[in-house]
Amino acid sequence: MAAASSSDSDSGRAESNEASSKWLDAHYDPMANIHTFSSCLALADLHGDGEYKLVVGDLGPGGQHPRLKVLKGPTVLTESPLPALPAAAATFLMEQHEPRTPALALASGPCVYVYKNLRPYFKFSLPQLPPNPLEQDLWNQAKEDRIDPLTLKEMLEGIREKAEVPLSVQSLRFLQLELSEMEAFVSQHKSRSIKRQTVITTMTTLKKNLADEDAVSCLVLGTENKELLVLDPEAFTILAKMSLPSVPVFLEVSGQFDVEFRLAAACRNGNVYILRRDSKHPKYCIELSAQPVGLVRVHKVLVVGSTQESLHGFTHKGRKLWTVQMPASILTMNLLEQRSRGLQAVMAGLANGEVRIYHDKALLNVIRTPDAVTSLCFGRYGREDNTLIITTRGGGLIIKILKRTAVFVEAGGVVGPPPAQAMKLSVPRKTRLYVDQTLREREAGTAMHRTFQTDLHLLRLRAARAYVRALESSLNPVSVTAREPLKLHAVVQGLGPTFKLTLHLQNTSAARPILGLLVCFLYNEVLYALPRAFFKVPLLVPGLIYPLETFVESLSDKGISDIIKVLVLREGQSAPLLSAHINMPVSEGLAAA
Amino acid sequence: MGLLDRLSGLLGLKKKEVHVLCLGLDNSGKTTIINKLKPSNAQSQDIVPTIGFSIEKFKSSSLSFTVFDMSGQGRYRNLWEHYYKEGQAIIFVIDSSDRLRMVVAKEELDTLLNHPDIKHRRIPILFFANKMDLRDAVTSVKVSQLLCLENIKDKPWHICASDAIKGEGLQEGVDWLQDQIQAVKT
């Protein structure tokens, strides 16, 4: 609760009103019909004319009509259909030659489509995988008409359940079919050899041998069969292959391929694996407690967003640095890099329509959008350096420009440890006694523990015995006998010499009233005088509290007080049902007089 | 001022000098406009992005203009304010085809108008809604709406649609500016 309220106040500070906002609203089109994720957005000067364009791998409404869109300013420049849903879009420089216009790579299904100058240039397909021999055998039999489609279906289903090598696309499509369609499908496809190909899940770029802004970059692909591939930028051959324990979904790279690089891959099993240049297998592993929803590298810190509505910061060796809690679940993440001020921060799009910008743990800014944000991209767009592109769940497009004068300041002084932590405590010097005791504790730890345990048990035993004794002699103010469940509670009021003693008596039974009870006071007659030391209790209706009042006169003028015992008795029985000891206060009225 | 100078001034031979600031975002066409206003033998053929600023001179029928052609690039825009004091008029150039950055132009204009050196002076501002030749250019009326020019109450201003490459609309603007400057002087 406290965390939630503090984060609210943080957002209040970081969020600025219209006039002093850090952002200019350049464009908002709620009907832009762009449905995509951050990985499918890229900004690049595709024509080399200084006008940066936005490349969108659009999934289409409901993921139905995937399209490649290129936007210039607020308008769509070109649009072309894609054969399959896009997985990632990236722009990179392929070669050193002038003019240095970047190529566009779009990963979709098992292929990477490379465009130059917005024209198709190259199609890279993932290498084929060996098909399951059993499946191959079945299709061969079908080819020779030795088995009918129904048997084929049953056999294939058997393979799908058990086999380690998954089925080919052809078989999977066959299994989806209705009975009537099977025959036609088999006759159409039986002569083709079955192919098994994996699909690309994620893609990013890695500089080849120079760290410059405009250096040649390799493509890095993550595939569904748990591999990472690095492609040559010119020949599109596979330069390196690395295997992972799970399917990668987000990739972050730093360094250069020919020199040294680090790859961080967030995988579907909820782990982030970190690989280095020479390692074919992960070098470090970060085990998250929840599924990752985004991975961003800020300088040397890996920031992972998880489904537990939180951001975590890790070092490149997998050591956890910090965690920040979000007010809603994270939908997307991306990097914000303001080059002119050397600032790198993480943007997180949340389900409640907020975009939060964090620099390490500190919240820098909150942008509210009318809809939940599904993708974010920050960079040079058109001719403006610091442009933020947001697309929303409803297909809306929002373009915001960071003001030239805007400076991100960390809201509130919550950075670093609290000031109290830096204060030096005046810890006393270690005395001889302290050292001796510590040594003794270290040596005879077991014996001391045993002694303590014995004493503790003895104490418990004694307490239990006292309790039993109290129960037996009805010394306690609560009676738990089956016939008369009663509760007594006494209050003394007044300063003296006359006190008012009120007994609250309650019948705690569910339904049965109690009749024929007596109350008796036992007291020192030298010190106190009571008008009636013995009286009858009226009928006790279950549940109600009966206040029984009596006055107590203090006779002594020496400022002494004593105990008055209250006994609740049943008519005709000598053993009391309940008893209470009342510690009478000293009579102040008399002392004053 | 010598006797001869005064005489020539009276006769209209020697023109009065005015300092004008030429402002606007990068790639809006400031340098192209200034270049086009220069006599045709002094015009340069290719225009490159201005670094920092450059000083250009040209003459109209009765005034001699000294123009501070400021660079519009984001990193040089903080230089503008150092020249506000000297400017007797402002030319603000807008790229009418850059719909996206109209907000940036507005932001820069608002900062300009709220600057202490400008705020309390009755300084004429001439707006050029430039690049009218481009297909996706918006009209000068639309530009003045987008920049909320109607809110400028205490300064004379004027907006001209222009095409700096062909030189259309430039003379109209300069004539207006000349009239305003002379009105302020007298």
Side-chain angles (χ1 to χ4, degrees), chain A residues 171-190:
Chain A
S171 305
L172 289 174
R173 270 182 62 194
F174 173 72
L175 289 180
Q176 287 180 336
L177 294 178
E178 297 292 323
L179 265 176
S180 54
E181 298 165 316
M182 282 184 181
E183 195 88 43
F185 187 87
V186 172
S187 58
Q188 195 188 342
H189 289 90
K190 64 185 178 187

Side-chain angles (χ1 to χ4, degrees), chain A residues 24-27 51 72-74 380-381 383-384 399 401 403-405, chain B residues 25-27 74-75 77-78 98-101 103-104 107-108 111 136:
Chain A
L24 297 169
D25 294 315
H27 181 67
E51 272 262 344
K72 175 181 185 265
R380 188 177 169 86
Y381 185 44
R383 304 191 126 262
E384 197 60 41
I399 302 176
I401 295 175
K403 280 185 190 169
R404 180 170 62 89
T405 48
Chain B
L25 301 188
D26 48 308
N27 199 39
R75 65 190 136 176
R77 274 181 224 155
N78 49 5
D98 196 348
R99 194 51 219 281
L100 203 62
R101 289 208 301 164
V103 279
V104 185
E107 173 71 15
E108 295 297 347
T111 331
D136 43 359

Side-chain angles (χ1 to χ4, degrees), chain A residues 115-137:
Chain A
Y115 296 79
K116 274 198 98 175
N117 225 340
L118 281 183
R119 288 194 188 85
Y121 176 78
F122 189 79
K123 176 182 162 187
F124 169 82
S125 296
L126 290 176
Q128 288 192 9
L129 303 170
N132 191 330
L134 283 170
E135 185 192 358
Q136 182 90 61
D137 195 44

